[in-house]
Amino acid sequence: VALGMGLGFSSECCTDSTTQAVDVVHNPSTDEASTFHMPYDIPTSRDENPDTARGQTMAVKVTPSAPEQDLEEQEKVKARLRRLTTEFVKEAVARDDSAGRCAVVVVDESVQSRYDAVYALDKKLTEFILTPIDASQSQRVIPIPGFRDTWLATEYRSCEVPAWRTKFDPDDLERLVVVEFQSNDLPPLFMLERTKEHAVRFVQAMTILTLYNSEAEAPK
């Protein structure tokens, strides 16, 4: 199992360097998170392509000669990612009595406007639903297969530009996430999570769910 620590990656990269994926999904019949084997592999790294990735990567690959401690580490990583993604799904899946319980601040970094919102996932884990608190603003329903990359802002390429970094307080940068979409017509989505830990969880869990949806849509 491998996952970038705070860096986004797509299902199209590093196709020759993969490992078995984490096996977490939501069970709509019980409205609870359960486990199954996701039918795809997670890329071990995007660092081979300097144009699309930077930052640290945690990767554990299994080979016929892998030492026992590597196998133990793989199981620890897999268990951590399973737990993290299960927690995220259980919190984010919209229920009949709630439009979503994940509070964020959406940032338009071009004009420096912000608004409070909540996000949720549909029960099939195929849609990301962003609902502004202000009822006069429109809800956005974004197909998860339309996600391309999900980043921590500190790993986002614009963070290399000093003028861009000055738009945000240092504390904000630590909890800011960036979602890029497959369509070039959609600008990146910037959201301030509640804490740095929530931001890391969002990036890792949404990367897994994006890859899962991409594989589900791929021709068999």
Side-chain angles (χ1 to χ4, degrees):
V1 178
L3 191 63
M5 294 296 292
L7 79 129
F9 45 63
S10 71
S11 58
E12 299 176 350
C13 65
C14 306
T15 54
D16 59 344
S17 181
T18 57
T19 59
Q20 186 177 359
V22 163
D23 49 357
V24 182
V25 75
H26 181 259
N27 183 347
S29 64
T30 61
D31 206 29
E32 294 291 339
S34 58
T35 60
F36 81 124
H37 290 288
M38 285 186 174
Y40 63 81
D41 289 335
I42 294 178
T44 56
S45 172
R46 291 180 61 191
D47 290 336
E48 291 90 348
N49 185 347
D51 293 330
T52 58
R54 298 180 300 108
Q56 298 177 345
T57 298
M58 176 173 60
V60 178
K61 289 193 63 180
V62 176
T63 64
S65 59
E68 182 177 348
Q69 58 266 33
D70 285 354
L71 298 178
E72 293 176 357
E73 182 64 21
Q74 182 202 37
E75 290 306 312
K76 290 179 182 179
V77 172
K78 185 175 180 180
R80 183 183 68 82
L81 295 179
R82 181 188 296 113
R83 182 176 64 254
L84 177 150
T85 307
T86 299
E87 291 172 355
F88 178 82
V89 168
K90 289 177 70 174
E91 182 176 347
V93 167
R95 290 161 173 78
D96 295 338
D97 60 349
S98 173
R101 296 183 296 173
C102 301
V104 291
V105 177
V106 179
V107 180
D108 185 335
E109 57 94 22
S110 62
V111 297
Q112 284 294 279
S113 66
R114 303 184 178 198
Y115 63 86
D116 294 327
V118 292
Y119 65 77
L121 305 174
D122 71 317
K123 292 183 179 181
K124 293 183 179 180
L125 305 182
T126 59
E127 293 180 339
F128 180 82
I129 306 161
L130 185 63
T131 306
I133 299 300
D134 184 350
S136 67
Q137 295 180 281
S138 299
Q139 182 185 73
R140 294 181 66 182
V141 179
I142 307 169
I144 293 177
F147 282 40
R148 185 175 69 204
D149 294 307
T150 307
W151 303 84
L152 286 177
T154 52
E155 298 290 341
Y156 190 55
R157 57 181 172 272
S158 293
C159 200
E160 296 177 345
V161 182
W164 186 86
R165 291 198 303 271
T166 61
K167 296 179 181 181
F168 304 95
D169 294 333
D171 289 344
D172 283 354
L173 275 177
E174 291 291 320
R175 57 191 182 95
L176 182 67
V177 298
V178 186
V179 179
E180 294 184 309
F181 302 103
Q182 299 284 0
S183 172
N184 292 329
D185 295 331
L186 293 177
L189 173 64
F190 294 81
M191 298 189 303
L192 284 168
E193 272 281 9
R194 289 156 283 178
T195 65
K196 177 181 178 180
E197 291 72 25
H198 282 91
V200 170
R201 186 183 72 166
F202 180 90
V203 169
Q204 295 183 338
M206 286 306 301
T207 296
I208 289 175
L209 294 176
T210 300
L211 290 170
Y212 168 64
N213 276 276
S214 297
E215 179 65 22
E217 287 205 336
K220 305 300 181 184

